[in-house]
Amino acid sequence: MSELFDAVDALLASRAVLPPPAERKRLRAAHGLTIEEVAGALKVRRATVSGWESGKTEPRPPERDAYARLLDKLAELYPVDATAAPVRDAAVPATFTDTSVPEEAQTQSAGQMSEARAMTATENTQTPAPVTATPAAAPRPVRTTRPSSTSRRPGARKAAPAGTSAGGADPRFENGPLAVVDVEDDGTVLAYCTGGLVLDVPAKSIPALVDWTLREAKLGAPKLAGPGKDADPLIVLTEAALERYGLPVTLTEEEKHAGRIPEGHKVIKRLARAEWKLTKRGFGPWARIYRPATGSERACVQLCIPSWNALDTRHWGEAGQLPPAELARVLGVYASRVMTPRGSTAVTGLELMTALYPPTRASEPDADGKRHSEHNPGSLGKDAIDPMNFPPCEVPDGHPVLKDLPRFHVRGPGEKLFEEAYDWARPMTDAECTLRHLVGIDVNMAFAAGANGLNVGLGEATHVKAPAFDAKLPGSWLVDLSHVDLSRVKVGKEWVELDGSLLPSPFTPKGERPTGPAWYATPTVAYAAELGYEVRPIEAWVRYENGRYLDGWYQRLRDAYLATMADLGINADLAPADFLTAMDGYKDRDPELAIVVSVIKATVKGGLGKLRERPRGEGWRPGEPWRALSRPTWRPDIRAAVISRTRINLHRKIVKHAVFTGQYPVAVLSDCVVYATHGTSPLDFLPYRDGKPLPGGFKLGINPGLVKHEGTQTVLWGEEVRERFDAPELNLARYIKDGTVTDVDNGE
């Protein structure tokens, strides 16, 4: 009889009514379970559980039985608060339950649905996050069932979940900046947009998809600055979509090397027949398909193909493996807070500079009432600098300016501006070896903070002999700073004594004291004067036309970073101890938003790196120009100034910390500093008093320029690692995060 009862129970469980997707996620999170833990218990893939929680798929027996049992037990432990608003299935839009919206509006076309949505816009308005004016992160888009063929037609869509919005106020882009195109099991092609919107895609070829995107999809984003251009719509193609449209799911080794599929591919031929063009980079991971602009109207669509490595795993993690709705969320949050991706994080970082400060603008009307294109003041205009007229000290090896140098000539500090991030370490003292731990702290968005308020050159450099140093004048200075002695420096108005042998030099990336004249960017020379020492430049290349070009770029990225961290539970007003607690495991709270944080950081570093982009193959030979030189944003001097200021900012904090505490760093790597201390927390050595930090020193917090805990290891670990590699000055900051050191990590 018990077997019969078990069979009946199993039959009932197979038809059990599961809670809506949003409630499934709430129950799992309430018990502190990760998606991986649930997937492991049910013996399914992580993506499967993610699909159940997003509503994209529904569980089937036998997993459905176990999943229903799990949710029932969790519901008993964590009932819904009766005083709270009822949990609504996010797949059922608020407009569908609002009697003020006519029933027939529920299945209208994309254009008609916007009118119905406008009727309930006031009910769906949410208060923005207090830390920033950028949009709040969209909730995970969900769908409980596939729309029936009778209710869905080309252009029809599902409305956004309550309190979300796909696009901004601009009706041209009401469906958001981008869409992830996927193919369902029944062959239906769907476009997953931001905010939970799902559009039907009638296009049966790539040319038709481009045409649909521009004519019907209402995708794109408004310009970021007055003279700028609207962002082109971005279409992301999943592997299923690639197969549907006749494109390879992966590239061959030859195609990977070329960065594109062959010109003779059938899809490229179809585009040509439809009079669509490709940019010089061809049909690759970030293809741009366009027709020449007519007047102010642009006709351009960008494709992103994750399986062709468009989303570099170093920054995007596993984003390319996410289900379409979740990938749309990740890309959408980044697009709304930074900009619609234009390629790699480096490319996007550079494009953001131009989007915020376009090189040209429309002139005032002339006598005939016509406007013309003119230089936009304060920008890096097209003709601001001749790429072949850079100072020899500022250009990298192989630049045409250096073509007359002997072939194997190695330029020294007196010939080459070499402003780079720190990579310095020293042996521990006997006193430090008696301490128990090594604690690393990391500066948040260090290079972004270095760009904030920085005065950079906008025009050509002027060569000056024996100039008087001017800290407000951006440029490159040949000066001897070997006389600066860190054993006695000026901090504020007072001279202080330090153990200079335990400090890195602020003037070289390796922390070595200069031995003679060398080229430095303005912030480095200004810091030597700040420390109380006289500076007498021998010569300089200075830029009298200058401005704070990167301020808007910094502010945009700062706001994006702070807003996303706030969504992850890290606010700017947390007390130090609370901040450290909140940062512990923050990425696990929402792995998708954690990806966005990683990409924002990579956008900063990559964008600055692009300012001095080197040749990338293409048959280039030393002494010849390369493609990047044609950009107004090829500015190695600006990159050098940002890095200089970032390194100097860090050294200033190190000095103030040493003056106040007598503690010196053991290792410094870029924006990470390691100290030996008795405890395991930064609070064990940072000089907080009554919750307040040392003025001008290290301060815990999430804002750019403040620091977070990077990692803790034992002093014994550090000594053992250095002994194993026979390297007393091995840079321990490189491994402090998790303590993992492999044979290839030799510290060189």
Side-chain angles (χ1 to χ4, degrees):
M1 184 64 69
S2 62
E3 294 180 359
L4 291 176
F5 286 166
D6 291 342
V8 170
D9 289 343
L11 187 63
L12 291 173
S14 68
R15 298 294 188 271
V17 177
L18 298 174
E23 176 67 0
R24 300 171 197 174
K25 178 185 175 182
R26 184 192 75 82
L27 291 171
R28 172 181 61 77
H31 200 61
L33 297 175
T34 65
I35 291 180
E36 289 79 3
E37 289 173 325
V38 175
L42 300 179
K43 294 181 171 57
V44 296
R45 295 183 302 116
R46 180 193 185 282
T48 301
V49 177
S50 180
W52 297 345
E53 289 191 358
S54 70
K56 179 173 172 59
T57 59
E58 288 293 308
R60 299 178 180 178
E63 291 84 6
R64 182 186 177 95
D65 308 354
Y67 190 46
R69 182 178 179 83
L70 170 66
L71 295 175
D72 286 343
K73 294 296 184 183
L74 292 176
E76 293 175 7
L77 294 171
Y78 309 100
V80 176
D81 185 354
T83 63
V87 175
R88 187 201 303 267
D89 181 357
V92 182
T95 51
F96 280 19
T97 59
D98 188 343
T99 56
S100 68
V101 180
E103 182 177 353
E104 60 269 24
Q106 299 172 14
T107 55
Q108 294 299 308
S109 68
Q112 294 168 318
M113 181 60 78
S114 61
E115 299 177 9
R117 183 172 61 187
M119 298 175 66
T120 58
T122 56
E123 296 183 15
N124 292 339
T125 301
Q126 291 185 335
T127 303
V131 297
T132 178
T134 55
R140 299 172 192 265
V142 294
R143 299 182 65 205
T144 51
T145 58
R146 182 181 301 153
S148 66
S149 59
T150 56
S151 65
R152 186 187 65 224
R153 56 178 181 255
R157 66 175 180 171
K158 300 201 74 179
T164 69
S165 175
D170 195 325
R172 297 173 301 159
F173 313 125
E174 66 171 294
N175 292 337
L178 56 91
V180 180
V181 175
D182 190 32
V183 182
E184 303 258 299
D185 294 339
D186 64 357
T188 304
V189 183
L190 298 176
Y192 292 81
C193 306
T194 57
L197 298 175
V198 183
L199 304 179
D200 272 315
V201 181
K204 300 186 184 306
S205 66
I206 289 294
L209 176 64
V210 173
D211 190 69
W212 171 83
T213 301
L214 293 171
R215 292 178 182 272
E216 301 180 41
K218 294 190 175 182
L219 296 173
K223 57 191 177 182
L224 297 179
K229 300 175 182 177
D230 296 329
D232 298 321
L234 175 65
I235 296 293
V236 185
L237 298 177
T238 66
E239 294 183 9
L242 292 173
E243 292 179 342
R244 175 62 174 265
Y245 291 123
L247 290 165
V249 172
T250 58
L251 298 179
T252 65
E253 288 301 319
E254 183 178 352
E255 290 167 344
K256 288 179 183 177
H257 181 72
R260 66 188 75 185
I261 58 177
E263 295 295 326
H265 194 280
K266 60 183 180 180
V267 169
I268 297 180
K269 291 182 178 179
R270 288 174 185 165
L271 286 168
R273 285 197 296 269
E275 298 183 342
W276 290 105
K277 298 180 180 293
L278 292 164
T279 58
K280 290 183 179 180
R281 74 171 95 176
F283 204 121
W286 290 94
R288 298 188 68 80
I289 304 171
Y290 72 99
R291 285 184 180 134
T294 55
S296 62
E297 293 297 321
R298 289 169 58 84
C300 182
V301 172
Q302 179 157 310
L303 301 183
C304 168
I305 306 177
S307 65
W308 293 7
N309 198 35
L311 303 177
D312 191 330
T313 55
R314 291 174 300 174
H315 314 309
W316 291 94
E318 300 302 317
Q321 306 300 319
L322 291 173
E326 296 185 22
L327 178 55
R329 178 185 182 238
V330 170
L331 290 168
V333 172
Y334 179 82
S336 66
R337 292 178 174 172
V338 180
M339 70 179 299
T340 305
R342 294 288 304 271
S344 67
T345 52
V347 169
T348 304
L350 196 69
E351 291 287 342
L352 180 62
M353 296 179 194
T354 302
L356 292 168
Y357 235 137
T360 59
R361 68 177 184 182
S363 68
E364 293 296 323
D366 60 16
D368 298 326
K370 294 183 179 180
R371 296 179 182 269
H372 307 276
S373 177
E374 66 177 14
H375 172 64
N376 184 23
S379 73
L380 302 181
K382 251 181 195 177
D383 304 318
I385 292 182
D386 181 351
M388 303 307 163
N389 195 33
F390 270 89
C393 63
E394 292 180 350
V395 299
D397 294 338
H399 190 278
V401 167
L402 307 174
K403 63 182 179 181
D404 294 331
L405 285 179
R407 183 175 180 185
F408 297 106
H409 177 73
V410 178
R411 293 187 294 162
E415 300 172 277
K416 179 181 180 180
L417 179 67
F418 192 65
E419 296 282 11
E420 298 294 339
Y422 266 130
D423 185 355
W424 170 87
R426 62 170 175 81
M428 284 185 274
T429 65
D430 292 343
E432 288 167 339
C433 287
T434 64
L435 300 173
R436 299 187 62 183
H437 295 99
L438 297 170
V439 179
I441 52 176
D442 180 78
V443 181
N444 299 316
M445 300 273 283
F447 293 99
N452 182 30
L454 179 64
N455 205 31
V456 301
L458 301 176
E460 296 276 7
T462 301
H463 188 228
V464 184
K465 287 283 189 179
F469 177 68
D470 184 350
K472 296 180 180 179
L473 195 58
S476 301
W477 310 77
L478 180 63
V479 58
D480 188 351
L481 300 180
S482 61
H483 63 291
V484 177
D485 184 3
L486 295 181
S487 298
R488 186 173 183 270
V489 298
K490 205 170 186 179
V491 177
K493 296 181 179 180
E494 297 181 2
W495 287 91
V496 296
E497 304 289 334
L498 295 170
D499 189 340
S501 66
L502 301 181
L503 286 170
S505 167
F507 310 127
T508 62
K510 288 292 183 180
E512 301 165 343
R513 187 168 178 170
T515 57
W519 285 99
Y520 302 102
T522 297
T524 303
V525 184
Y527 186 58
E530 179 185 326
L531 292 176
Y533 289 86
E534 185 180 21
V535 293
R536 292 183 178 180
I538 301 168
E539 61 177 300
W541 291 89
V542 296
R543 290 180 165 87
Y544 295 107
E545 182 186 352
N546 51 69
R548 292 165 57 159
Y549 173 73
L550 293 173
D551 274 11
W553 183 80
Y554 160 77
Q555 291 160 9
R556 180 83 177 174
L557 290 163
R558 175 204 61 195
D559 290 350
Y561 173 71
L562 291 179
T564 310
M565 291 302 290
D567 289 336
L568 287 164
I570 318 293
N571 294 302
D573 57 355
L574 289 174
D578 295 335
F579 168 72
L580 292 174
T581 301
M583 285 293 293
D584 188 19
Y586 77 93
K587 294 181 180 179
D588 297 330
R589 292 176 204 141
D590 192 328
E592 293 168 17
L593 287 184
I595 292 173
V596 177
V597 172
S598 171
V599 178
I600 292 171
K601 292 178 179 179
T603 303
V604 172
K605 292 186 177 180
L608 292 173
K610 275 279 185 180
L611 291 171
R612 197 193 66 164
E613 184 176 356
R614 303 297 301 276
R616 305 179 65 182
E618 303 173 351
W620 174 82
R621 293 181 179 180
E624 296 178 350
W626 58 92
R627 184 182 300 179
L629 297 185
S630 63
R631 295 194 316 250
T633 48
W634 192 83
R635 292 296 303 274
D637 58 304
I638 294 180
R639 172 188 176 274
V642 173
I643 294 176
S644 164
R645 191 164 187 244
T646 303
R647 193 182 67 246
I648 293 307
N649 285 346
L650 186 60
H651 195 276
R652 183 181 291 112
K653 289 180 169 63
I654 289 172
V655 166
K656 290 197 174 182
H657 184 85
V659 170
F660 196 79
T661 67
Q663 297 171 328
Y664 295 84
V666 171
V668 184
L669 182 67
S670 187
D671 47 10
C672 175
V673 188
V674 176
Y675 284 91
T677 183
H678 63 281
T680 60
S681 166
L683 287 174
D684 291 320
F685 71 93
L686 293 183
Y688 274 83
R689 287 185 177 178
D690 300 324
K692 296 182 179 180
L694 166 69
F698 295 112
K699 178 183 178 181
L700 290 166
I702 199 58
N703 281 311
L706 305 189
V707 299
K708 62 180 181 294
H709 185 202
E710 178 70 3
T712 296
Q713 305 298 328
T714 64
V715 169
L716 186 62
W717 163 86
E719 289 297 278
E720 188 274 331
V721 166
R722 286 177 164 178
E723 183 178 344
R724 189 199 323 167
F725 290 98
D726 192 23
E729 297 182 6
L730 183 71
N731 197 329
L732 299 175
R734 184 173 280 108
Y735 319 107
I736 196 71
K737 190 165 190 174
D738 60 12
T740 302
V741 185
T742 64
D743 290 338
V744 296
D745 291 326
N746 57 15
E748 294 181 359

